[in-house]
Amino acid sequence: MTSGQSVTLLLVLSLVLVVAKALGALLARLGQPSVIGEILAGILLGPTLLPDAVQRALFPADIHLVLSALGTIGVTLFLFLIGQELTRHPPRRQTGVVLATTAGSIVVPFALACLLAVTVSVPAEGRSLGYTLFLGTAMSVTAFPVLARIVRDRDLLGTPVASISLASAAIGDLLAWSMLAVTVMVASGHTQWRLLLVLPLLALVLGALRPLLARWAGWRARNGRTGEPYAVVLAGVLGCAAATEWLGLHAIFGAFLFGLVMPSGPGGLREPAGRQLGLVTEYLLLPVYFVVAGAQVDLSRIGASGVAEFGAIMLVAVGGKYLGVTAAARWSGLDWRRSAVLATLVNTRGLTELIILTTGLQLGLLDRRQYSLMVLMAVVTTVMAGPVLRALYPPRLIAEDRRRATAAEPVQEPAPVPT
């Protein structure tokens, strides 16, 4: 890289960080998750508003290549952090309603999305099993880290609906990433024999790597080792990510898998890794990822047909979640109001949806138009959570639910996973 390219890269990174964090702070002051502002920053720096000539001047091809690499590292580390965080929220209480809610939040939107897949306008090569599976997965996902931020910011910790939604989203995200892995396998053009090695990789990570990491963490605790184990953690994350990429999946699955097996407790690796890697991921790498992803969003040429298609997408995404979750929660004994609150919480999508959509775009399962509409859906469904929660679940009811909660476990703050 020449000196001129280095200067351009540093200036572009500075611009990206300033715009992303400024919009994130603005949205946070308006009562929205800051990630929405950062996603909007990526869209605003993309072709929706900026002419092609400005785009090329701001992000030359060689600089865009470096930004793409940084964004890939950022989203890989983010999935590692998500894998860690999901293991913190197993369903300990109200298991029946958690499982029913999880099923409702996935099955109904997935089924509706499959129906939509055969009616919406897609490229000819998109009319396939891979496209149908992908659309179902994209419609049924819940953004666990954004949900955790909303639960904390809305002071919902300690209420039954918060506990149910967090546990349901944790299980749902595990299923969603698994479904996406299957979709990638179906749609992948990689040599198929490599995919047969996925099961041996799972056995190696779960059967050998997890206990090895646990024993190492115990040895650190017994011997008073206080040094931060970042080199080992990063090597493990990148190694697992490289393995799944080579197998024909995506690097994010390997990072996610490594996050699931990270040990906690005395001498554990989870907290120090999450704390430090979360900072560099949130404040540098993810904003770069937003800009790279936003460069693919073009809402300037949607037209009337695009508006109609967006309406259908919103109907399936929002209506499917509300129908499935509300019905499941009512069947499990919750009243209508709290069932609707639960459905509102699990309707948030945010960055998790953006990662899935970007994967679909890379695989050719979405064209630029569909990708843009789906990104817009992810933003709208996350933004709507705040106003709907204020209307359905005022502070009086939150306090009442917290007082009436029986045999409640100590309230645990969600870890600082970037959102």
Side-chain angles (χ1 to χ4, degrees):
M1 179 176 288
T2 66
S3 176
Q5 289 173 321
S6 297
V7 170
T8 303
L9 175 62
L10 294 174
L11 289 175
V12 167
L13 286 175
S14 178
L15 172 66
V16 166
L17 294 179
V18 169
V19 175
K21 290 305 174 183
L23 282 178
L26 175 62
L27 267 290
R29 290 178 65 87
L30 296 176
Q32 295 292 339
S34 59
V35 67
I36 296 300
E38 295 173 6
I39 293 175
L40 288 176
I43 296 175
L44 294 178
L45 291 173
T48 297
L49 294 181
L50 299 182
D52 291 341
V54 177
Q55 275 266 295
R56 289 192 297 269
L58 278 177
F59 308 108
D62 51 350
I63 299 302
H64 191 273
L65 185 62
V66 177
L67 293 177
S68 298
L70 290 175
T72 298
I73 295 174
V75 77
T76 299
L77 292 178
F78 178 77
L79 262 294
F80 161 71
L81 296 172
I82 293 302
Q84 288 192 120
E85 180 66 8
L86 291 184
T87 60
R88 292 166 54 93
H89 296 277
R92 297 184 180 91
R93 298 181 294 119
Q94 298 176 297
T95 305
V97 66
V98 168
L99 295 179
T101 300
T102 304
S105 70
I106 292 177
V107 172
V108 176
F110 189 93
L112 292 177
C114 289
L115 292 176
L116 183 65
V118 301
T119 59
V120 295
S121 176
V122 298
E125 63 270 20
R127 296 189 182 277
S128 62
L129 176 60
Y131 172 76
T132 303
L133 292 175
F134 174 81
L135 197 63
T137 301
M139 294 292 192
S140 57
V141 72
T142 297
F144 178 84
V146 176
L147 173 59
R149 171 69 68 86
I150 290 174
V151 165
R152 184 183 62 199
D153 291 349
R154 299 288 171 187
D155 193 27
L156 302 182
L157 290 166
T159 63
V161 289
S163 302
I164 294 168
S165 65
L166 286 170
S168 176
I171 298 172
D173 268 18
L174 284 171
L175 294 174
W177 292 118
S178 300
M179 290 190 296
L180 183 61
V182 172
T183 301
V184 173
M185 292 172 67
V186 170
S188 175
H190 289 264
T191 305
Q192 294 300 308
W193 68 265
R194 293 184 181 179
L195 296 177
L196 299 177
L197 300 178
V198 170
L199 292 180
L201 176 65
L202 288 173
L204 177 64
V205 173
L206 298 176
L209 185 57
R210 178 163 59 181
L212 183 62
L213 287 172
R215 283 196 293 270
W216 184 53
W219 175 83
R220 282 168 46 85
R222 290 190 302 272
N223 291 275
R225 301 285 181 170
T226 58
E228 306 289 20
Y230 303 125
V232 172
V233 171
L234 277 172
V237 173
L238 298 177
C240 282
T244 52
E245 183 74 31
W246 181 80
L247 290 178
L249 297 175
H250 195 287
I252 59 176
F253 297 111
F256 179 73
L257 180 61
F258 191 76
L260 291 177
V261 301
M262 286 287 287
S264 58
L269 311 177
R270 183 180 300 168
E271 292 302 327
R275 183 171 58 251
Q276 298 297 330
L277 295 181
L279 288 175
V280 69
T281 302
E282 179 177 7
Y283 286 98
L284 176 61
L285 298 177
L286 281 182
V288 172
Y289 178 79
F290 293 138
V291 169
V292 173
Q296 307 295 326
V297 175
D298 188 358
L299 300 174
S300 62
R301 299 181 178 89
I302 295 302
S305 62
V307 173
E309 188 174 336
F310 177 69
I313 290 172
M314 286 295 295
L315 182 63
V316 170
V318 178
K321 285 277 190 182
Y322 269 99
L323 179 61
V325 174
T326 302
R330 285 290 295 146
W331 178 79
S332 301
L334 292 184
D335 60 28
W336 282 110
R337 180 188 289 267
R338 288 165 179 82
S339 298
V341 170
L342 193 56
T344 302
L345 288 170
V346 300
N347 236 311
T348 56
R349 288 176 171 85
L351 179 55
T352 304
E353 182 78 16
L354 189 62
I355 295 171
I356 290 177
L357 296 178
T358 304
T359 303
L361 185 65
Q362 293 169 348
L363 290 172
L365 296 174
L366 294 177
D367 58 20
R368 288 278 294 274
R369 180 171 176 272
Q370 288 178 305
Y371 173 81
S372 301
L373 293 175
M374 293 288 284
V375 170
L376 184 59
M377 177 271 290
V379 172
V380 172
T381 54
T382 306
V383 167
M384 62 180 270
V388 174
L389 285 174
R390 279 194 293 271
L392 290 177
Y393 209 32
R396 174 183 58 82
L397 288 181
I398 296 173
E400 178 184 335
D401 280 1
R402 189 176 288 115
R403 285 195 304 269
R404 293 172 57 185
T406 57
E409 298 174 0
V411 176
Q412 185 180 32
E413 287 277 355
V417 176
T419 59

